[in-house]
Amino acid sequence: MSAKEEQIRELSAEEVLQKFDKESNKREMSGLWGYIINGICILFAAFQLYTATFGILDAHLQRAIHLTFGFLLIFLLYPTRQSWSKTKMNPIDVLFALAGACSAMYIVYNYNELVLRAGMNTETDFIVALIGTVLVFEAARRVVGWPMIIVALVFLLYAFFGPYVPGIMAHRGVGLEEMFDHLFFTTEGIFGTPMGVSSTFIYLFILFGAYLEATGLGKFFIDLANAIAGWAAGGPAKVAVLSSGLMGTVSGSSVGNVAGTGSFTIPMMKKLGYRPAFAGAVEAAASTGGQLMPPVMGAAAFLMAEFVGVPYFDVVKAAVIPAMLYYIGVWLGVHYEAKKFGLKGTPRDQLPKFKDLFLEKGHLAIPLIVIIYLLVSGYTPMRAALAAIALSIICACLRKSTRISFKQVIQGLIDGSKGVLGVLIACATAGIIIGVVTKTGVGLKVATALLDLAGGKLLPAMFFTMITSLILGMGVPTTANYVITSTIAAPALIQMQVPVLAAHMFAFYFGIVADVTPPVALAAYAGAGIAGANPMRCGVIAAKLAIAAFIVPYIFVLAPELLMINATAFTITYSALTAIIGMWGVSMSMIGFCQNLLNLPQRLAFLVGGVCMIIPGTLTDGIGIALIIVTFFWQKTNKIKGAIEQTEDL
């Protein structure tokens, strides 16, 4: 085991967050600076709630003020160097915070003049734009990390050195002033659509998540999952899958989800007898799937609705069946692993009773149910989130055991403002990438290159798009992940006449599954840290458990009815049912167990049969079901034969 792997063994949940989730590695200030930071957080929340209630400002103004608060909090909370004190303020960070706030407020202060000048920018404008853009990079370095910075820098260099790039990727080039003015003083760069969504929908949903966490909903989800599945074969692992799926409905981070639920579920799995690497992998795969789970999808659902140009509910509706297939795949993998090693569940008398739990804390889930109902009913995400925030506080007060104090209500505002910082600056950095794309047309060029590489055929184009999305998604937060993959990778599929929503969902899925795909696999590394396991081994197992995420996107491109696009109730039901049977076959093949251990021909038969069932088409379904049935009874015959031989031996 390498020194790096030794270093991350047996970490606590808090240490895991600080090591693998840069957003969590911030200062915890007390005294005067603590009051100042909390005051900024409360003002930030007040601004967002006021504009959400009474109407948002003009786009550039709303986004500039949003970034102003972001700059202030990021530079005050995240030190320039990791080695600097987390309990004392450094004057250099104060200077950064003031410079960032002044650069963003320059737009607010000079808004009317900038509008009247309509692109005729001055030298002062250029200097402010340059400083503001550099500070976006610096803020992203502190909160998001280097992977996204590198991607954005490569794009920026491409804008300047386009004439020197060989082949189809060449362009005329963009001047220094032209580029930075475009990035900072238009709504096609830093203050583009991602920042617009962050300054409206995303903030409110993160604030909603902060209040749900304050009310104890996360613990309720874990207890609920224990009551439902803790007694079954491999119970704690199934609890991890179920609780992570529930948490994923409002979570915005794979690593955060691993630390939140994994600190409970991974020790339970190890106690039951699961291998440490498998325990960490289960939590990593389940937590990563949370980013694919409606209604929030790691906040990417709102961006997708804006980018694709469809109602938000259409995105949520499209994501339901693929997310269910993903979790069914992970659940089945866990089930057969438990059967393979004879792992039992937790005794029922040691588990919470479902009825008692529901009566005591079931009311905490009301805001989540209501927000889904409001979104389905046609309310805007902003209105639905506002109602849910108020309801989460009210519902918590229905019982004394869950009641939150006025101090906790204020703390919710502070936590919400701190919680949005990673998404905020990721959206700003993603805006730089979008600004380069709009100036150079690089998205179309990449799409053309991918299509040329694929020879104009859909399946190879999907494969190359998958590889591109996996690479671009490594170590990048969910929202920025979607922006990058949808801007660069998705256009190739759109040119192949794939429905726009299906193309965006395809790129998004593979960008997210990068969290469990070695060699980066941040979620798997986080799970390995808690489990005390080999990180690479954990990543390989997590990728096997998350096999659905590698298969299902191909299927919903070939059969868009899985996304409920131009589909009837029959086609949706049929496609989902055959895909579930297919996932059953694939899961048995991956684990190597059905009723007893599978030999190589049986594993291959289940794998081929499962994939055929998932691929749309009557012929493939027929081949798939035949292979699965024949192999299942082959296994059953082996099991009976083995039992007879055992009896004869006795």
Side-chain angles (χ1 to χ4, degrees):
M1 183 176 289
S2 70
K4 181 179 180 182
E5 290 166 353
E6 283 285 354
Q7 189 183 2
I8 66 169
R9 289 176 62 87
E10 302 290 355
L11 299 177
S12 69
E14 187 62 33
E15 288 172 325
V16 165
L17 273 176
Q18 291 187 2
K19 189 166 190 66
F20 299 107
D21 184 16
K22 286 184 70 68
E23 189 178 341
S24 302
N25 195 13
K26 54 182 175 287
R27 286 187 172 108
E28 295 295 335
M29 301 295 297
S30 58
L32 178 61
W33 276 111
Y35 286 118
I36 290 172
I37 290 171
N38 288 345
I40 295 170
C41 289
I42 293 168
L43 285 174
F44 190 10
F47 166 74
Q48 295 291 158
L49 290 170
Y50 178 85
T51 54
T53 305
F54 297 105
I56 61 173
L57 307 177
D58 289 346
H60 216 151
L61 278 175
Q62 177 84 16
R63 298 167 194 182
I65 295 173
H66 186 70
L67 183 60
T68 299
F69 281 112
F71 272 149
L72 283 171
L73 290 173
I74 287 170
F75 288 124
L76 293 178
L77 285 170
Y78 296 87
T80 303
R81 296 173 63 88
Q82 291 290 329
S83 58
W84 287 6
S85 172
K86 299 292 193 302
T87 57
K88 294 181 180 179
M89 186 59 65
N90 191 294
I92 292 176
D93 292 323
V94 177
L95 291 175
F96 269 110
L98 293 174
C102 289
S103 66
M105 285 303 291
Y106 180 87
I107 293 171
V108 178
Y109 185 75
N110 297 288
Y111 183 67
N112 291 331
E113 185 182 343
L114 289 168
V115 169
L116 290 173
R117 281 202 255 116
M120 298 173 62
N121 295 18
T122 65
E123 187 175 341
T124 303
D125 294 342
F126 166 66
I127 293 170
V128 171
L130 180 61
I131 292 171
T133 304
V134 169
L135 289 175
V136 166
F137 275 110
E138 171 58 15
R141 181 190 67 82
R142 299 185 186 203
V143 183
V144 179
W146 280 105
M148 188 169 188
I149 297 298
I150 291 169
V151 173
L153 280 172
V154 167
F155 271 80
L156 202 55
L157 290 172
Y158 172 75
F160 297 135
F161 296 101
Y164 308 103
V165 177
I168 193 175
M169 301 301 294
H171 64 90
R172 64 176 178 81
V174 184
L176 197 66
E177 289 193 26
E178 181 187 3
M179 190 71 246
F180 283 105
D181 287 343
H182 177 75
L183 291 177
F184 207 75
F185 291 113
T186 73
T187 53
E188 293 182 4
I190 290 169
F191 299 102
T193 300
M195 183 61 77
V197 176
S198 174
S199 66
T200 51
F201 310 140
I202 292 177
Y203 182 93
L204 294 177
F205 273 82
I206 287 177
L207 183 60
F208 173 52
Y211 278 118
L212 289 182
E213 188 64 28
T215 61
L217 185 70
K219 181 67 166 59
F220 171 67
F221 279 157
I222 293 172
D223 290 341
L224 187 66
N226 262 308
I228 293 171
W231 54 270
K238 290 176 178 175
V239 168
V241 176
L242 190 56
S243 59
S244 294
L246 291 170
M247 283 294 290
T249 58
V250 292
S251 168
S253 164
S254 300
V255 174
N257 208 352
V258 169
T261 57
S263 57
F264 292 94
T265 59
I266 290 174
M268 287 169 59
M269 284 186 269
K270 290 175 67 179
K271 184 180 178 182
L272 181 68
Y274 274 96
R275 294 167 291 153
F278 193 89
V282 168
E283 185 57 55
S287 294
T288 297
Q291 305 307 286
L292 309 172
M293 179 66 72
V296 177
M297 296 165 64
F302 312 109
L303 281 168
M304 197 175 293
E306 293 290 323
F307 279 23
V308 177
V310 298
Y312 166 79
F313 180 63
D314 284 3
V315 174
V316 171
K317 183 176 66 174
V320 169
I321 294 176
M324 287 175 59
L325 290 174
Y326 179 92
Y327 274 103
I328 287 170
V330 178
W331 182 282
L332 288 169
V334 162
H335 175 75
Y336 283 110
E337 175 81 2
K339 290 288 188 182
K340 183 177 178 179
F341 290 99
L343 302 176
K344 306 295 183 184
T346 306
R348 286 181 184 268
D349 58 2
Q350 296 179 24
L351 296 172
K353 299 289 187 293
F354 180 84
K355 182 181 177 182
D356 296 342
L357 184 65
F358 193 78
L359 289 174
E360 183 184 352
K361 293 185 177 180
H363 59 286
L364 296 178
I366 292 175
L368 196 56
I369 296 168
V370 168
I371 199 170
I372 293 171
Y373 170 77
L374 292 176
L375 291 169
V376 170
S377 300
Y379 283 78
T380 65
M382 285 181 68
R383 292 296 175 189
L386 277 173
I389 289 168
L391 198 59
S392 62
I393 298 171
I394 294 168
C395 286
C397 296
L398 292 177
R399 291 185 68 90
K400 187 176 180 180
S401 60
T402 60
R403 192 170 298 158
I404 60 175
S405 63
F406 178 73
K407 183 179 180 180
Q408 287 175 298
V409 172
I410 298 301
Q411 188 62 44
L413 298 177
I414 295 169
D415 292 342
S417 293
K418 290 180 180 179
V420 81
L421 297 178
V423 176
L424 182 157
I425 203 62
C427 285
T429 313
I432 294 172
I433 296 168
I434 292 175
V436 172
V437 170
T438 56
K439 269 290 185 187
T440 64
V442 65
L444 186 61
K445 294 175 187 294
V446 171
T448 303
L450 287 176
L451 290 180
D452 288 346
L453 196 61
K457 299 192 181 300
L458 180 57
L459 280 175
M462 292 164 69
F463 175 77
F464 291 127
T465 303
M466 174 189 77
I467 299 300
T468 304
S469 298
L470 282 170
I471 293 170
L472 291 172
M474 288 180 177
V476 178
T478 302
T479 44
N481 190 321
Y482 166 67
V483 173
I484 295 169
T485 55
S486 65
T487 304
I488 303 305
L493 297 183
I494 295 170
Q495 284 196 37
M496 298 289 293
Q497 308 306 312
V498 171
V500 177
L501 182 55
H504 278 244
M505 199 73 78
F506 183 93
F508 174 60
Y509 257 65
F510 284 113
I512 293 302
V513 83
D515 277 349
V516 290
T517 305
V520 178
L522 281 183
Y525 269 66
I530 297 175
N534 181 306
M536 193 58 65
R537 177 67 178 153
C538 195
V540 170
I541 297 172
K544 284 171 60 178
L545 287 171
I547 191 67
F550 291 91
I551 297 174
V552 171
Y554 283 87
I555 309 311
F556 63 59
V557 168
L558 297 172
E561 54 265 24
L562 276 181
L563 299 180
M564 303 190 196
I565 298 174
N566 301 324
T568 64
F570 173 77
T571 56
I572 291 170
T573 305
Y574 179 79
S575 298
L577 184 61
T578 54
I580 288 170
I581 296 171
M583 286 311 308
W584 177 50
V586 170
S587 296
M588 287 187 290
S589 174
M590 289 291 108
I591 300 301
F593 189 88
C594 176
Q595 297 166 90
N596 49 24
L597 290 173
L598 300 175
N599 57 36
L600 183 59
Q602 290 168 341
R603 292 183 78 159
L604 287 174
F606 272 129
L607 178 62
V608 174
V611 172
C612 284
M613 286 297 292
I614 295 171
I615 295 172
T618 308
L619 178 62
T620 53
D621 289 346
I623 295 170
I625 196 69
L627 276 170
I628 288 175
I629 290 172
V630 168
T631 312
F632 182 80
F633 281 104
W634 181 8
Q635 263 277 291
K636 195 173 182 67
T637 303
N638 287 352
K639 187 177 182 181
I640 293 169
K641 185 179 177 182
I644 292 170
E645 288 173 352
Q646 276 188 328
T647 305
E648 288 174 348
D649 289 342
L650 291 172

